[in-house]
């Protein structure tokens, strides 16, 4: 821990401890609103709120000291810090000034800070190159509590890469639509200063927006620690997508459409327009936007921006799009026709089927210059569970080029080498990574743009066929209420349910640690008290039976009103599935596996069900040979090309994507080759460590290479 971090904690933690004692009950209306604003679904963590409030107070004190140290008393009371910081923010041109529940809460305690402490902390923070304030915040506030508002910071080298590419001229005006702890604004100031812009005028060329009042103060403080503006700052506290709304109001509103700051119904023929945070367009836009998932988004966002995209661009945005898509469209509306835009982008934008409209939008409205991807072993964005890349884009009136560059980075080489690879635009193979040039015409919306240049014709290899030619793929059973429809042995006994109405079922991928699932494994789940029985009703229950009483219990809980079960003719009638010979861990970190089901167990929708053709499934050697091929390192690599990747080496593959997986056809192999692969699969099932798995998987790879004649 650095000296600056120690000083910051020595101020924040004691104040937070005092605040925690007087925090109101979790039913307090203001506290509930603060929790709702952050998307906290569970119980409010009192210590987190107390530390947020303490940090908020210290940040305001730092702003006071940095802008008007002479006016500060030796002992600075809370009410003075709040009032004076608001006055200083107004002088900077920041309106409205960020305020929150944290301000009101701190006043109730009435703590005072010493001017000497704030002075020492200011000096220590100014000596730091890293974002001490942002790092402290992420250590005090758990990842889940930061997810809804997308509070994950960009490392300085990545921000520098993006701003140095985007800003080309000393005349450029720069925007960060979600400036967070301020790293893009600081690197933009550095870049403009390098290009010759004076300290007196640089603040006129940099603009930013931030929704969280606390994070706004974090970013502003980081800027003021390194740069005192000579003119008013162009920073807005508010919602980049709904700038005319009160900050945070949209997150509490009902499903309506917003237009220029007023609530309004969407009527036939009415043109809906999304207002922008600034009236002018920008030469450079750099951003690491929040990736808030679609089911956490207010209906106002979806309604307004789906309409804007359709009316302005003729593109129908998928309802499954994350907040990134809306930020991206809004930023495009503010980009100059010859400007540059650099976005940290979830890899799923280029890989998921529901993002085809975003790719169509890029092709139609912009000029894609480069995609920069990172190896799964290179942890660039700490704590983020979504794989990310960098997208470099130019406005529609920039000269067209005959190539798009895709760079894959295995080891960070420094900003200059990456920029050089982008500008050279050719094929590069180096120790730090590689790049390839893509023909823009191949970037069709239905394709996975991040893998096109590295497919190596595997989908056209004569030895491989798509899995769909060998097997049928379906998702596992979606019950609509797992805690009700899946029962433990004790629950079955308690409700006296008939075994004829139950089916054995797998509910979690961790219940299958290996590559085969046996009857002994199923018995183990029972001994551990796990839920392992699926209520499998295929018709109306008979009144007076145990099953009828259990269904009444579910209805008393309101389960029959849930969206999925309401679509069934009988809400409790289960989807029909046969036990699959092979299950795939549909979404799993690192150890994605194709599992040999040696029992009659069914599986929920955390698995994919794979039903090979009878000529495969009815011959154990051929089935095991297919399982060996599916679990090879070759197949694992191919999964990235048909599915989509997330952070932590997580792969997600939908059924129709799995259909395209290229696999070696076991039916075309010589009997000796099939037997060798089957034997290797048996060895894989017996491994007891990751290292042993790798050795066997490598042996499977070598066997496949020998079969197809690859040295």
């Amino acid at each position: 821990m650095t000296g600056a971090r120690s000083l910051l904690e020595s101020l924040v933690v004691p104040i937070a401890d005092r605040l925690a004692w007087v925090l109101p009950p979790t039913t307090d209306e203001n506290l509930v609103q603060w929790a709702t604003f952050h998307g906290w679904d569970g119980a409010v963590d009192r210590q987190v709120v107390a530390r947020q409030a303490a940090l908020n107070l210290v940040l305001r004190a730092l702003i006071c000291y940095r802008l008007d140290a002479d006016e500060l008393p030796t002992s600075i009371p809370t009410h003075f810090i709040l009032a004076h910081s608001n006055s200083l923010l107004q002088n900077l041109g920041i309106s409205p000034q960020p305020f929150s529940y944290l301000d009101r809460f701190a006043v109730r305690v009435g703590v005072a800070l010493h001017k000497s402490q704030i002075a020492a902390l200011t000096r220590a923070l100014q000596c730091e190159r890293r974002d001490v304030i942002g790092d402290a915040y992420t250590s005090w506030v758990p990842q889940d509590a930061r997810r809804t508002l997308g509070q994950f910071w960009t490392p300085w080298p990545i921000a520098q890469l993006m701003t140095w590419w985007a800003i080309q001229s000393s005349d450029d005006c720069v925007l960060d639509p979600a400036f967070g702890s301020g790293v893009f604004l600081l690197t933009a100031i550095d870049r403009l200063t390098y290009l010759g812009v004076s300290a007196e005028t640089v603040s006129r060329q940099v603009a930013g927006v931030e929704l969280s009042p606390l994070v706004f103060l974090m970013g502003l403080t980081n800027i003021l620690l390194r740069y005192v503006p000579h003119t008013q700052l162009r920073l807005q506290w508010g919602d980049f997508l709904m700038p005319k709304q009160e900050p945070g109001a949209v997150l509490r509103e009902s499903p309506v459409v917003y237009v220029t700051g007023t609530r309004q119904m969407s009527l036939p023929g009415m043109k809906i327009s999304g207002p922008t945070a600034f009236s002018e367009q920008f030469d450079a836009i750099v951003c690491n936007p929040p990736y808030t998932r679609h089911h956490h988004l207010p209906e106002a966002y979806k309604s307004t921006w789906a309409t804007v995209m359709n009316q302005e661009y003729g593109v129908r945005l998928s309802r499954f799009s994350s907040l990134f898509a809306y930020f991206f469209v809004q930023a495009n509306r503010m980009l100059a026709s010859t400007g540059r835009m650099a976005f940290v982008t979830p890899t799923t934008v280029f890989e998921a089927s529901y993002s085809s409209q975003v790719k169509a939008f890029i092709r139609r409205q912009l000029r894609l210059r480069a995609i920069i991807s990172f190896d799964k072993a290179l942890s660039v964005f700490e704590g983020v569970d979504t794989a990310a890349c960098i997208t470099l884009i130019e406005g529609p009136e920039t000269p067209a080029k005959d190539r798009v560059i895709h760079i894959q980075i295995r080891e960070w080489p420094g900003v200059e080498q990456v920029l050089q690879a982008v500008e050279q635009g050719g094929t590069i193979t180096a120790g730090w990574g590689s790049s390839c040039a893509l023909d823009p015409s191949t970037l069709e919306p239905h394709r996975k743009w991040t893998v096109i240049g590295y497919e190596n014709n595997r989908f056209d290899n004569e030895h491989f066929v798509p899995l769909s030619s060998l097997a049928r793929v379906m998702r596992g059973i979606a019950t609509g209420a797992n805690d009700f429809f899946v029962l433990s042995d004790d629950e079955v006994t308690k409700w006296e349910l008939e075994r004829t109405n139950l089916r054995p079922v797998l509910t979690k991928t961790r219940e299958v640690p290996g590559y085969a699932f046996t009857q002994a494994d199923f018995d183990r789940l029972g001994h551990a008290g796990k839920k392992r029985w699926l209520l499998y009703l295929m018709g109306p229950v008979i009144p007076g039976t145990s099953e009828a009483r259990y269904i009444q219990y579910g209805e008393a809980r309101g389960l029959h009103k849930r969206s999925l079960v309401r679509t069934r003719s009988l809400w409790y009638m289960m989807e029909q599935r046969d036990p699959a010979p092979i299950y795939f861990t549909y979404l799993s970190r690192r150890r994605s596996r194709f599992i040999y089901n040696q029992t009659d167990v069914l599986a929920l929708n955390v698995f994919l069900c794979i039903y090979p053709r009878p000529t495969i499934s009815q011959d154990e050697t051929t089935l095991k040979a297919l399982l060996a091929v599916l679990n090879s390192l070759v197949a694992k690599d191919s999964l990235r090309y048909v599915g989509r990747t997330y952070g932590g080496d997580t792969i997600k593959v939908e059924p129709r994507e799995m259909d395209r997986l290229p696999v070696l056809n076991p039916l075309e192999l010589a009997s000796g080759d099939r037997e060798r692969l089957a034997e290797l699969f048996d060895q894989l099932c017996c491994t007891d460590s990751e290292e042993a798995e790798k050795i066997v998987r490598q042996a499977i790879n070598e066997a496949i290479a020998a079969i197809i004649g690859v040295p």
Side-chain angles (χ1 to χ4, degrees):
M1 184 182 296
T2 65
R5 175 68 180 272
S6 297
L7 280 173
L8 180 62
E9 292 205 357
S10 69
L11 276 174
V12 170
V13 173
I15 297 173
D17 290 342
R18 290 183 59 183
L19 292 172
W21 280 101
V22 297
L23 195 69
T26 54
T27 55
D28 178 78
E29 181 181 356
N30 292 322
L31 183 56
V32 169
Q33 287 185 356
W34 182 252
T36 302
F37 175 69
H38 286 81
W40 299 343
D41 296 328
V44 176
D45 189 325
R46 299 168 66 87
Q47 190 63 43
V48 167
V49 177
R51 289 196 173 188
Q52 285 181 320
L55 178 60
N56 180 75
L57 185 64
V58 171
L59 291 174
R60 286 184 173 275
L62 286 167
I63 291 170
C64 291
Y65 184 85
R66 190 71 178 118
L67 294 177
D68 197 12
D70 293 340
E71 292 297 319
L72 298 185
T74 303
S75 179
I76 321 170
T78 299
H79 64 85
F80 180 91
I81 293 172
L82 296 176
H84 197 51
S85 61
N86 279 335
S87 176
L88 293 171
L89 293 179
Q90 186 173 11
N91 293 339
L92 285 177
I94 296 172
S95 178
Q97 291 87 46
F99 65 89
S100 69
Y101 166 72
L102 302 179
D103 298 323
R104 298 191 296 271
F105 176 42
V107 170
R108 296 173 56 181
V109 180
V111 297
L113 299 176
H114 292 284
K115 182 177 179 178
S116 59
Q117 293 176 308
I118 300 301
L121 178 58
T122 299
R123 291 191 296 270
L125 289 170
Q126 287 176 321
C127 294
E128 292 283 350
R129 186 64 171 173
R130 63 181 296 127
D131 180 9
V132 174
I133 296 173
D135 289 347
Y137 183 80
T138 56
S139 70
W140 294 336
V141 181
Q143 179 175 327
D144 287 346
R146 293 181 278 115
R147 181 173 284 114
T148 295
L149 295 182
Q151 295 172 344
F152 299 93
W153 321 133
T154 307
W156 185 275
I158 301 298
Q160 191 177 45
L161 166 68
M162 293 167 64
T163 51
W164 281 59
W165 179 84
I167 302 171
Q168 294 296 292
S169 164
S170 60
D171 297 324
D172 283 355
C173 290
V174 189
L175 170 68
D176 180 355
F179 66 76
S181 62
V183 63
F184 283 117
L185 298 179
L186 287 168
T187 53
I189 290 172
D190 284 352
R191 173 63 168 164
L192 289 169
T193 303
Y194 174 82
L195 292 172
V197 180
S198 67
E200 288 74 18
T201 61
V202 70
S203 61
R204 299 174 189 167
Q205 296 176 230
V206 177
V209 183
E210 175 56 48
L211 175 61
S212 166
L214 175 56
V215 174
F216 182 100
L217 293 176
M218 289 168 53
L220 174 61
T221 302
N222 274 330
I223 292 170
L224 295 177
L225 285 168
R226 296 161 178 82
Y227 166 77
V228 175
H230 295 264
T231 60
Q232 291 188 335
L233 290 174
R234 304 184 66 206
L235 302 181
Q236 287 189 14
W237 171 50
D239 191 327
F240 179 63
L241 298 177
M242 305 290 181
K244 303 301 182 182
Q245 291 292 309
E246 174 196 346
V250 174
L251 298 179
R252 302 191 299 269
E253 293 288 359
S254 58
V256 294
V257 173
Y258 288 83
V259 52
T260 61
T262 61
R263 295 180 62 167
Q264 180 173 322
M265 294 178 61
S266 178
L267 301 176
M270 176 181 291
K271 183 175 178 60
I272 303 297
S273 62
T276 55
F278 297 93
S279 58
E280 77 271 30
Q281 292 187 312
F282 289 84
D283 306 292
I285 299 178
V286 286
C287 186
N288 182 0
Y291 296 170
T292 310
R293 293 169 182 164
H294 68 93
H295 46 275
H296 292 307
L297 293 180
E299 194 63 28
Y301 281 166
K302 297 181 182 181
S303 300
T304 295
W305 287 103
T307 305
V308 167
M309 281 200 74
N310 191 26
Q311 290 186 347
E312 292 192 14
Y313 306 112
V315 173
R316 293 187 179 276
L317 195 64
S318 169
R319 307 284 286 183
F320 296 105
S321 299
S322 73
L323 193 58
F324 164 86
Y326 302 91
F327 261 74
F328 190 82
V329 174
Q330 178 76 315
N332 167 75
R333 299 170 81 228
M334 302 177 69
L335 181 67
S337 60
T338 57
R340 285 186 166 189
M341 191 159 70
F343 255 66
V344 177
T345 308
T347 305
T348 52
V349 166
F350 298 121
E351 296 182 356
S353 57
Y354 59 75
S355 65
S356 60
Q357 294 293 359
V358 176
K359 288 180 280 188
F361 175 80
I362 293 173
R363 280 174 57 102
R364 189 179 306 173
Q365 301 295 330
L366 298 159
R367 298 201 187 278
L368 178 63
R369 291 306 185 216
I371 300 172
I372 302 173
S373 303
F374 300 94
D375 188 90
K376 57 182 178 293
L378 186 62
S379 182
V380 177
F381 300 95
E382 292 291 341
V384 178
D385 55 8
T386 300
C389 58
I390 297 171
T391 307
L392 305 181
I393 283 176
E394 291 179 323
E397 294 186 14
T398 54
K401 294 185 179 180
D402 61 356
R403 62 184 62 186
V404 172
I405 307 305
H406 183 202
I407 298 173
Q408 287 192 320
I409 297 177
R410 290 189 298 271
E411 182 178 327
W412 181 248
V415 171
E416 290 187 6
Q417 286 205 51
V418 180
L419 288 174
Q420 187 177 25
V422 172
E423 295 305 320
Q424 286 180 348
T427 299
I428 296 174
T429 301
W432 56 266
S434 61
S435 72
C436 64
L438 307 177
D439 182 344
S441 65
T442 65
L443 300 178
E444 298 172 354
H446 69 274
R447 300 191 69 182
K448 300 177 186 296
W449 290 3
T450 50
V451 301
I452 288 175
Y454 300 90
E455 288 177 346
N456 296 325
N457 299 318
R458 71 183 66 209
F459 296 99
D460 300 324
N461 191 303
E462 63 181 12
H463 297 283
F464 290 81
V465 296
L467 183 59
S468 60
S469 67
L470 302 176
R472 180 167 52 96
V473 182
M474 302 177 67
R475 63 163 173 78
I477 295 172
T479 70
N482 288 353
D483 64 329
F484 175 78
F485 286 110
V486 184
L487 302 95
S488 66
D489 290 22
D490 289 344
E491 288 170 323
V492 170
T493 301
K494 172 185 174 182
W495 288 96
E496 299 179 341
L497 300 175
E498 292 290 340
R499 291 290 174 140
T500 55
N501 292 319
L502 301 170
R503 298 289 186 275
V505 69
L506 290 171
T507 63
K508 298 179 177 66
T509 57
R510 63 173 175 266
E511 292 175 350
V512 192
Y515 290 85
F517 189 79
T518 66
Q519 185 60 46
D521 294 320
F522 185 69
D523 293 341
R524 172 178 46 80
L525 296 179
H527 296 150
K530 302 292 186 181
K531 288 177 173 281
R532 61 173 186 156
W533 297 104
L534 176 66
L535 183 62
Y536 201 77
L537 299 173
M538 294 179 286
V541 293
I542 300 173
T545 61
S546 298
E547 285 72 21
R549 288 191 294 273
Y550 191 65
I551 295 304
Q552 289 173 352
Y553 164 69
E555 290 172 347
R557 293 173 54 188
L559 300 181
H560 61 300
K561 298 178 181 178
R562 292 191 177 183
S563 57
L564 177 60
V565 301
R566 282 190 309 180
T567 63
R568 301 170 183 163
S569 57
L570 293 171
W571 74 269
Y572 51 80
M573 194 163 67
M574 195 51 56
E575 293 180 345
Q576 304 297 295
R577 291 286 189 281
D578 292 323
I582 301 173
Y583 289 125
F584 174 70
T585 52
Y586 163 70
L587 178 63
S588 56
R589 290 182 181 273
R590 301 186 64 184
R591 290 186 70 236
S592 55
R593 305 182 304 289
F594 291 85
I595 298 160
Y596 183 16
N597 178 23
Q598 296 180 298
T599 70
D600 60 351
V601 68
L602 298 173
L604 298 189
N605 58 349
V606 294
F607 295 90
L608 292 185
C609 308
I610 300 175
Y611 300 90
R613 289 159 47 179
T615 49
I616 297 175
S617 61
Q618 294 174 9
D619 183 271
E620 187 176 27
T621 299
T622 306
L623 179 59
K624 286 184 177 180
L626 176 61
L627 281 158
V629 170
L630 291 172
N631 283 298
S632 67
L633 295 175
V634 171
K636 182 175 182 179
D637 184 53
S638 295
L639 285 170
R640 291 190 60 252
Y641 294 87
V642 298
R644 65 200 76 162
T645 54
Y646 294 81
D649 194 16
T650 300
I651 299 174
K652 182 178 181 181
V653 187
E654 300 290 352
R656 301 292 69 80
E657 294 170 333
M658 184 65 80
D659 283 343
R660 297 181 54 242
L661 181 71
V663 295
L664 189 66
N665 186 353
L667 296 173
E668 298 296 325
L669 300 181
S671 60
D673 291 332
R674 279 199 300 272
E675 290 169 1
R676 172 59 178 156
L677 288 171
E679 178 186 344
L680 287 170
F681 178 72
D682 285 335
Q683 292 179 22
L684 185 63
C685 292
C686 295
T687 56
D688 56 4
S689 68
E690 286 192 29
E691 186 60 33
E693 284 185 25
K694 288 180 181 178
I695 293 173
V696 177
R697 280 184 153 188
Q698 183 59 43
I700 295 173
N701 269 23
E702 293 170 0
I704 292 173
I707 290 170
I708 65 177
V710 175

